[in-house]
Structures are given as C-alpha cells and as structure tokens.
Amino acid sequence: MRKQLFTYQLYLLLLFTCGLIYFSFGSGPTAHAADITTATDFAPWTEGYRNPDHDKRNKYGYMVNSNNNNIINETNTSNGINLNFRVLAHINWDQSTHTKYYLLLKSGATFRVLTLTSNQVTRTKVKDYSRTALWNVSVNMSGISADQVQLVLFDDSSFYGFWKTNGVADDGTYSYTLVSPVIGWNNPASSWPKFSSQTYAGQTTTLTLDAPDFQTNSNTLTNVLAFDNPVFVPNLTDQKVVDNTLQSDYKITTDLSQAEQVNALVPQTDTLFGRQTTVKYQLPSSPTTQTFQYGGLKNLILTSTDLTQPVSTKANLAPDFISQVTTELGSDLTYRWFYATSEKPDFKELSSKYSDSQNSSGTFGQAWLTFPKDSKFLKFAATQNQLGHQVYLLLKIYDQSGNLKALTNPILVQVTTPALQVPDTINFGTIGTTKLYGGGQLASQSSATDQLTVNTAGSWQVAATLGTESTNSIRKLNGWLSFGAGQPLSADQAVTVASGTGPKTLPLNAKLNLKGYHHALPTNRNFNETITWNLTTQPTPRATE
C-alpha cells in the first residue's frame, strides 16, 4: 500500500514538473518580437487566406482582394492620415494583450524600424467566421514620412494570437508575425505616366500606382483619381501584390455621352487646343496634380471681314490629334461635324442645314471643314452672337460600321462685328450752280451702301453730331445734312438718327439740303462735314424684372 502511494505521488510530481517545463518554454513573449526590430530591409509579406468551404482552415494574414472589397486604403480624418488594412486573425484577437505593432520605413537607401504604441493602431472586427474573423487594422500615420512603408503585427498569445507558423513564408522567420505588402507612401505618383497633351474622348488609359486607394470619412471607397472634366471616368480595377509590393490598378475610360457638355468642355481661352483638364491624385499621403489638354480643338474666332473669304478649320485642330486617334483606333475612320447653340444645346449635323459647308463629313485625316465665302453658317453664327447667344462646333469620329468611337471637345464659333457700322463716306457728287445759288435738295449718290448697322441685343439708339466747322464745311455754303425725315444735324446737340431693339441694318436716306449761296465760290474745292456717331444701349429686361 505504501509502495502504491509512493508511486502515485511520484507520478504527480512528474506531471507537475512537466507542467513547469511546459509553462517555462511554451507560448509567451519571446525574442521573436524583437527580431523584427533588427531587420535591415523589408520582409516578405504574409498573405491571409479564407477557405470558403471550411472556415476552420482559414490562414492568418493580410487580405488583399479587390473582388471582396479587401482594399488597403488611406483615409484623412480630423485625427490625421490613417492607413487601413484587412487582416484575417483569431475570432477574439482583440482580447489578446500580447499584440505589438511595428512600421518598417524606407526613404532612399535609409531603412529603419519604428515601434508603434497601441494608441496609434485601432483594430475593429469586420466579420466573424467559425474560429477566425476579418479585422480592419487602422494605423495613424501622423508625422510619419517615408518613401515606402510596411506594417508588422506580432502576437504570440497562446489563446488569441497568431500561429507560430504564420511566420513569413511559413519558414519560421519572424514567428507569430504578420507582415503587410510594401506600400508606396510619400512619392507614389512620381512614377505615373503623363497624360498626353491632347487627350481625346474615346481614349482608354490604364495606370498603376504602388500605393493604397482612397477612402472617404464615411468609409466609402473611392478612386484615388479625381478629374475636373466629366468625360473621364476612373475605376479601381484591381489591387494585388507583385514582387512583395502593393499595386493598385486604375482604368480611365471616357464617357462619350458626357462629351457634348459645352459649358464644361469648351476651351477656357481662344489660344488653347482643347479643354485644360486637371487630374488630382488625391492620396492624403501624397496629393499630386497634373494638367493636360482634352479634345484637341481650338475655338474658331473670326471677324466680319473674314466672312468675305473662305475659312478653313485646319489650324483649329491640334497637330498631333490625328496621330493620337489613328494610333489607337486605326486609319480606317470617318468623321462628321455637328453644331449647337446655347439656346438649343443639342448637337445637329452641320450638313443637315448648311449644305454649303465644304468637307463637313468625310475620311478622317484627309480633309478639312471649310466654310465658303459668305458662308450661311458663319452668318448664322454672327447673328446669334449679336443676339448674345453662343454657337458651338464638335467633331465626331466613327468606324466604318458607323459606330461612334471618339470626339473632340466642343468649341465656340465667335464672329465679332462692330457694335455700330456706318459708311466711311457719303457721296453727294457735284453740286450744280442752280442748286447752289437757288437752293434745293440732293440725294446721296452712294445710297446703296449708306446703311447703318447695329450689332447688339436689347434696346438701342444712334445719335449724330457735326464736327468743328472748317473752311470746306458744307455749312459755309448755307447747307446742312439730314437723314430720312430727321432734323438737320447740328454741332451743338446730338440728333437721333435711328432706334430699335436687337441687331438691325437700316438705310440712312442721307440728304444734302441747300438754302442758296450768294457769294463768290472758290473753284476746285471739295466741301464736306465730319460726323460723330454715338450708340447707346439698354439691356433687354428679364421677365422677372
């Protein structure tokens, strides 16, 4: 009996001893946590994996999967810039007291390890699985500057921490440690390709950034790209890890249905080819902007004198626009020109109403839209401009099947005319002696061109006064000038010649009136008067005024 008791006591002693050995060398804070602090470069990342058929076999690690919205992203809150990760870990990981956080930082060739406090990191459960959960880990990056960063999580808690074999590449390196991909931080936009100087609607561009995407304060993922041009539509198409480095892929397409927004897309100045557009890489860690020209077409600015000769649009298209389009879409393309007004902003084909316009459609790159002398369309544009309305042109490009493939930006067609046009000279011919001495009235011999034209909207009035009386003044012959049935022109006060509303052209009906001259007349002398014209306008009142 005593022997059996001794054996039982010895067995308990052995169990107790083994227990001490187990707790002395089992799970707990180890030197592995410090190992990462001696790293001299970035470590391979630890990829998490969820088995959709067997949640108990999920693998701890960082989740980078754009299909499931597991996106590494940045946010900018009142507390500063935050870097957000999705991590697969124990279902009760937040109950562990062993978690440690580190940032590996590299700028140029300089590498360092930064230990983070628990106040700098927030972990929030996103979704529970069987024994694991998806967590969001948010790192406050205020004051942290580096070209590249890598977040390291360490937790050797025997109940809630990471598996020992979750070490990098499952080879035991940095045991109980999860390592994120390498992330571009301060200068991720510096390596982006530049947009072309004239980017047309229809062009598709793919860009890759070694950096996170952007997330709003309301936890809504957005694209890191922001355009001030409604044509461009950016989308994050993928986020993956390539050679241990995070890559965010973006596809920038053009929405052709937005390309006719004249107010947002006409050139800001008459010297620019296309609409100046700004794209902002709105990463909080590295905001960057880039400016380029969209559309390739320059405003068509003319004077009334230009309408007396043919006008070609060749100089209004950027020199490299054709090569840009044909490089991407091929050379077997056709084109058609369209027009609209600010009163009727829907674009209509130019040839449907202004058939005298030459090459308003054809083979792209081989002909140019040309307006003939006294073009009906340009006269229409001039009239619209006088009324205070805008006129626009737009070039659309099609494949051989008639499918719309690309557009230019819309442009202004501006025909500038003087607000008031009057004849330079009114010719009354030679005054006969009968009229000179006996008196009478002479009509202008240039009456066909003696016209007064007002190019303005709203109500207007035109008045005239005579200049200083000279030796050769008609007034020396006891004569005066009048227009229509109006009163004689005077040097002392303005005489109203015409009035009306909106653009008008009126005949002057100029007349020379003589009362009779009874003095000696010098020979070979031309008598004349200088007229000063004055146009006053009043805007048309709005219906609410």
Side-chain angles (χ1 to χ4, degrees):
M1 183 68 177
R2 185 176 296 173
K3 182 178 179 181
Q4 290 177 342
L5 179 60
F6 175 79
T7 303
Y8 181 70
Q9 290 172 337
L10 179 61
Y11 174 72
L12 290 176
L13 180 62
L14 287 173
L15 281 178
F16 181 73
T17 305
C18 289
L20 287 176
I21 293 173
Y22 173 79
F23 285 114
S24 298
F25 297 97
S27 176
T30 70
H32 292 297
D35 288 348
I36 199 68
T37 65
T38 62
T40 58
D41 208 341
F42 293 120
W45 79 298
T46 312
E47 183 176 10
Y49 172 76
R50 177 176 175 256
N51 188 333
D53 300 320
H54 201 307
D55 281 343
K56 294 180 181 180
R57 296 178 182 175
N58 294 344
K59 181 180 176 182
Y60 293 173
Y62 287 81
M63 306 295 284
V64 181
N65 188 322
S66 55
N67 292 332
N68 293 328
N69 216 28
N70 293 326
I71 303 295
I72 297 178
N73 63 80
E74 295 182 37
T75 55
N76 194 7
T77 68
S78 58
N79 294 326
I81 300 173
N82 293 281
L83 189 53
N84 305 294
F85 304 83
R86 290 289 176 88
V87 175
L88 197 64
H90 192 280
I91 195 170
N92 294 316
W93 177 36
D94 57 343
Q95 296 183 31
S96 172
T97 59
H98 290 210
T99 312
K100 294 182 174 64
Y101 309 99
Y102 305 90
L103 274 180
L104 307 187
L105 309 173
K106 193 171 187 178
S107 294
T110 302
F111 181 86
R112 64 191 178 99
V113 180
L114 177 66
T115 302
L116 300 174
T117 67
S118 59
N119 292 334
Q120 292 174 275
V121 183
T122 302
R123 50 184 169 181
T124 307
K125 186 182 292 186
V126 178
K127 187 174 183 180
D128 282 338
Y129 300 119
S130 177
R131 296 180 181 176
T132 60
L134 184 66
W135 297 83
N136 187 78
V137 179
S138 183
V139 182
N140 189 311
M141 301 290 287
S142 298
I144 295 173
S145 178
D147 294 338
Q148 296 173 300
V149 299
Q150 192 174 47
L151 176 65
V152 177
L153 307 176
F154 172 84
D155 199 319
D156 63 352
S157 168
S158 58
F159 295 104
Y160 311 116
F162 310 143
W163 298 314
K164 182 176 182 179
T165 56
N166 263 132
V168 171
D170 286 338
D171 61 1
T173 306
Y174 305 136
S175 300
Y176 308 104
T177 305
L178 304 182
V179 183
S180 80
V182 178
I183 298 167
W185 188 242
N186 283 136
N187 300 303
S190 61
S191 60
W192 279 44
K194 299 293 184 183
F195 285 90
S196 62
S197 57
Q198 279 82 42
T199 301
Y200 65 91
Q203 193 172 25
T204 298
T205 304
T206 302
L207 303 176
T208 297
L209 186 65
D210 294 341
D213 195 46
F214 178 62
Q215 190 174 33
T216 64
N217 294 341
S218 60
N219 297 324
T220 301
L221 279 171
T222 62
N223 296 299
V224 72
L225 296 163
F227 292 86
D228 64 351
N229 185 320
V231 168
F232 293 96
V233 181
N235 284 292
L236 176 70
T237 56
D238 194 19
Q239 193 176 75
K240 56 187 179 294
V241 180
V242 178
D243 296 331
N244 206 45
T245 300
L246 180 72
Q247 285 190 355
S248 298
D249 295 334
Y250 298 90
K251 185 177 183 180
I252 296 88
T253 57
T254 47
D255 185 352
L256 300 186
S257 67
Q258 302 294 315
E260 297 182 7
Q261 293 190 35
V262 291
N263 291 332
L265 298 178
V266 295
Q268 292 97 326
T269 71
D270 298 334
T271 59
L272 289 175
F273 287 103
R275 174 79 178 191
Q276 183 170 289
T277 298
T278 299
V279 54
K280 181 179 180 181
Y281 312 122
Q282 53 185 359
L283 286 172
S285 63
S286 183
T288 307
T289 59
Q290 184 185 136
T291 300
F292 62 96
Q293 295 303 119
Y294 152 76
L297 201 59
K298 184 169 63 172
N299 288 338
L300 182 61
I301 307 301
L302 304 169
T303 66
S304 54
T305 304
D306 294 324
L307 306 190
T308 62
Q309 55 191 353
V311 176
S312 172
T313 61
K314 182 176 182 178
N316 291 82
L317 195 64
D320 63 345
F321 182 83
I322 293 176
S323 62
Q324 280 192 40
V325 174
T326 55
T327 297
E328 183 166 329
L329 302 180
S331 57
D332 197 13
L333 303 168
T334 61
Y335 72 87
R336 282 181 267 164
W337 284 87
F338 291 76
Y339 79 98
T341 70
S342 54
E343 290 293 287
K344 296 180 179 179
D346 54 317
F347 278 86
K348 297 179 181 179
E349 195 163 353
L350 184 64
S351 61
S352 65
K353 189 170 183 179
Y354 300 100
S355 57
D356 63 329
S357 302
Q358 301 165 8
N359 299 324
S360 58
S361 63
T363 301
F364 181 68
Q366 295 184 11
W368 304 97
L369 172 64
T370 301
F371 298 104
K373 175 183 177 181
D374 298 325
S375 160
K376 294 179 181 178
F377 173 74
L378 294 182
K379 286 185 175 180
F380 162 76
T383 301
Q384 290 292 307
N385 293 162
Q386 292 164 9
L387 292 170
H389 304 157
Q390 303 290 357
V391 178
Y392 310 99
L393 278 175
L394 176 69
L395 174 65
K396 297 186 179 183
I397 303 163
Y398 303 83
D399 61 19
Q400 288 300 309
S401 299
N403 299 312
L404 178 64
K405 303 298 290 185
L407 302 86
T408 64
N409 57 289
I411 60 169
L412 282 173
V413 181
Q414 190 73 44
V415 182
T416 58
T417 54
L420 175 64
Q421 292 174 281
V422 292
D424 293 331
T425 302
I426 299 174
N427 182 13
F428 291 98
T430 302
I431 304 175
T433 55
T434 302
K435 292 284 186 184
L436 178 62
Y437 291 108
Q441 189 180 74
L442 292 176
S444 169
Q445 295 187 2
S446 56
S447 58
T449 57
D450 293 345
Q451 294 179 327
L452 178 147
T453 299
V454 176
N455 301 311
T456 185
S459 300
W460 52 266
Q461 180 176 283
V462 176
T465 56
L466 294 179
T468 303
E469 185 176 346
S470 66
T471 303
N472 290 341
S473 289
I474 294 175
R475 282 169 282 179
K476 293 286 188 182
L477 301 177
N478 204 15
W480 72 90
L481 299 177
S482 64
F483 297 104
Q487 66 187 85
L489 297 189
S490 166
D492 299 327
Q493 63 180 18
V495 174
T496 298
V497 174
S499 60
T501 301
K504 278 187 174 58
T505 296
L506 303 172
L508 281 175
N509 294 322
K511 294 181 176 59
L512 170 60
N513 302 278
L514 298 166
K515 284 186 176 182
Y517 180 77
H518 305 292
H519 303 284
L521 180 67
T523 59
N524 300 323
R525 182 178 294 183
N526 291 322
F527 290 85
N528 55 68
E529 294 285 4
T530 300
I531 303 174
T532 300
W533 303 88
N534 183 48
L535 170 67
T536 57
T537 61
Q538 182 176 354
T540 302
R542 298 179 182 178
T544 56
E545 292 180 347

